[in-house]
Amino acid sequence: MKVVTTRMLGEIDGVPPAWLEPRWSIGQVAARTGVPADTLRYHEHVGAVIPAGRTSGGARRYSDLDAERISCTRWLREAGVPIPRILQFNKLREQGRLGRQGRRALLADYRDELIRRRKQLDASITAVEGKIAKYDRLTGSEQ
């Protein structure tokens, strides 16, 4: 029986060689991924995104695989994942399929952190609502 494995977004495993060719300008990849060029430059500066290459004039060139990785980074940032964790995620992604368990563990840890923070926020909201109700009672009795 043949086992079929699915390539995860941004993994190099199973990517056609053409996907590695640096062909997209920063403007093109920005339009394609929805990530502004300034954000791409920042992500490159901190190491979250590395373009496939540069032209002889120094202009960035991105591959299809780069665009996938940028889309993945965008999703992680939208989920609130901090840059240092994205850098860890990217290092694990470089391992291809071998890094999947590590990436899963990183995301599970982050989810658990979000759940803890949500519980803290819920407790804070409850406390603030209690204070608002107290002020409503006090100001209602003064009228």
Side-chain angles (χ1 to χ4, degrees), residues 7 11 15-23 63-66 68:
R7 188 179 69 82
E11 280 183 352
V15 170
W19 282 32
L20 303 176
E21 294 175 22
R23 67 174 102 202
S63 68
D64 289 326
L65 183 61
D66 291 331
E68 273 195 359

Side-chain angles (χ1 to χ4, degrees), residues 130-141:
K131 289 293 184 185
I132 291 169
K134 184 175 181 178
Y135 280 103
D136 287 346
R137 285 191 305 275
L138 291 172
T139 55
S141 64

Side-chain angles (χ1 to χ4, degrees), residues 2-3 8-9 13-14 22 27 40-41 44 48 51 60 67 72 95 105 114 119 130 134 138 140 143:
K2 183 178 177 180
V3 176
M8 299 294 291
L9 186 66
D13 297 350
L40 289 172
R41 288 184 194 96
E44 180 183 347
R60 294 164 176 84
C72 185
Q95 298 173 14
L114 289 174
K119 287 177 183 177
K134 184 175 181 178
L138 291 172
Q143 294 175 356

Side-chain angles (χ1 to χ4, degrees), residues 19-84:
W19 282 32
L20 303 176
E21 294 175 22
R23 67 174 102 202
W24 307 104
S25 70
I26 193 166
Q28 290 169 318
V29 84
R32 189 172 173 189
T33 63
V35 177
D38 287 343
T39 302
L40 289 172
R41 288 184 194 96
Y42 170 73
H43 284 172
E44 180 183 347
H45 175 72
V46 298
V49 170
I50 307 297
R54 293 201 180 237
T55 65
S56 59
R60 294 164 176 84
R61 286 288 181 246
Y62 298 88
S63 68
D64 289 326
L65 183 61
D66 291 331
E68 273 195 359
R69 290 176 173 173
I70 290 164
S71 293
C72 185
T73 297
R74 177 183 179 201
W75 175 85
L76 290 167
R77 287 299 296 144
E78 287 175 352
V81 177
I83 294 289

